[in-house]
Amino acid sequence: MTAPARAASVPGDAAEPRARFRDLLAAEWITFWSLRSTPAVLLLGAAVIVATAVRNARDTLDHYVPGTGRPDTMRQVALDSSFSMVGADVVMLVAGGLGALVLAGEYASGRIRTSLAAVPDRCALLLAKALVLTGVLFAWAAAAVGTAFGVDQALLSDRGIGLSVADPGALRFLAAAVLLAMVCALVGLAVGVLVRHSAASVVGTILVLFFLPSLFTDTYRWTADVSHALPFTAWRRLATLSLAHARPSDHPATVAGSWTALALWALASLLLAVLVIRRRDH
């Protein structure tokens, strides 16, 4: 009796190689840019930031009297002119809104089931989305805020009050603005995973980033601690070179505490999103 012949191996029968994490990153990169409004939102947000810096520079030049003002005060004026509260509002709105839509949009459309079927490892899927999101927002904020700073300081240099990145406090000022964008994006991502509805996620993110800081003041120790721990107030402290000429407070924020607050918001948002996406059924 002859032994049964073995079936010839067919290349197509071979198991497909397991997808690598960089392949997942590439897929999420394509998914992120698949929404046509994303580039428009980023370009419009950057244009508003730069236009606001130009307007602030002109306003500063109109009211500046040569020979007046302390050097440290003029440095603060020059920095605030390049990236004011309006610029911070735009960064929080754009970054938080895009972050909220990264997963909430998939929940709303039902595409989350396809995504999880293709990538059963939910943590890997979320991490890939978070890395793409923060990477894009880092590049966007660095380009927008950096351009605004350069244009603004070039205009102010006509009166001798323009700054460079090497001036004291300038690098911290710019780094804080870029970090604010990345943190707000992760906050939006966490809210999107929790709410799972596009419009409600954007509204929830706005409430956390914009409305929550207005509820707490520096009147009492505990309210001051909560206020200083919020992303917006942490950024505002980092954007302030010195508190020497600021309104007196019994409970002032610190630079180290503000950096820590932003880092903890980013970490807590990512951990919350991981916990929720692992435990929820889809």
Side-chain angles (χ1 to χ4, degrees), residues 85-119:
M85 300 275 283
V86 175
D89 289 342
V90 173
V91 164
M92 291 193 297
L93 185 60
V94 171
L98 289 178
L101 294 175
V102 163
L103 267 172
E106 292 198 22
Y107 282 118
S109 64
R111 288 188 294 111
I112 188 64
R113 295 183 179 87
T114 304
S115 298
L116 292 176
V119 186

Side-chain angles (χ1 to χ4, degrees), residues 42-67:
L42 292 174
L43 287 175
L44 180 60
V48 173
I49 292 173
V50 175
T52 302
V54 173
R55 185 203 64 183
N56 291 342
R58 291 178 176 175
D59 186 66
T60 299
L61 293 175
D62 289 341
H63 295 85
Y64 174 67
V65 178

Side-chain angles (χ1 to χ4, degrees), residues 10-211:
V10 180
D13 292 340
E16 293 185 3
R18 188 175 183 181
R20 294 165 295 185
F21 187 71
R22 67 180 184 183
D23 298 324
L24 184 55
L25 285 175
E28 291 303 329
W29 175 267
I30 296 173
T31 301
F32 181 85
W33 295 106
S34 62
L35 191 62
R36 294 181 179 179
S37 61
T38 299
V41 169
L42 292 174
L43 287 175
L44 180 60
V48 173
I49 292 173
V50 175
T52 302
V54 173
R55 185 203 64 183
N56 291 342
R58 291 178 176 175
D59 186 66
T60 299
L61 293 175
D62 289 341
H63 295 85
Y64 174 67
V65 178
T68 62
R70 298 165 52 95
D72 55 344
T73 301
M74 295 313 301
R75 281 199 302 269
Q76 186 68 65
V77 169
L79 290 174
D80 291 341
S81 176
S82 63
F83 188 72
S84 61
M85 300 275 283
V86 175
D89 289 342
V90 173
V91 164
M92 291 193 297
L93 185 60
V94 171
L98 289 178
L101 294 175
V102 163
L103 267 172
E106 292 198 22
Y107 282 118
S109 64
R111 288 188 294 111
I112 188 64
R113 295 183 179 87
T114 304
S115 298
L116 292 176
V119 186
D121 189 345
R122 299 181 179 188
C123 291
L125 177 66
L126 182 66
L127 181 59
K129 289 182 179 293
L131 286 175
V132 170
L133 175 67
T134 53
V136 171
L137 267 299
F138 171 83
W140 172 77
V145 177
T147 301
F149 178 83
V151 171
D152 186 88
Q153 302 311 316
L155 293 174
L156 295 181
S157 63
D158 291 340
R159 297 289 186 88
I161 56 176
L163 302 177
S164 70
V165 178
D167 283 300
L171 189 59
R172 187 183 86 189
F173 186 92
L174 296 174
V178 175
L179 182 58
L180 177 67
M182 300 171 68
V183 171
C184 291
L186 290 176
V187 171
L189 179 67
V191 174
V193 176
L194 283 170
V195 179
R196 300 195 294 181
H197 184 279
S198 299
S201 296
V202 174
V203 172
T205 303
I206 291 175
L207 290 177
V208 172
L209 296 177
F210 289 86
F211 180 70

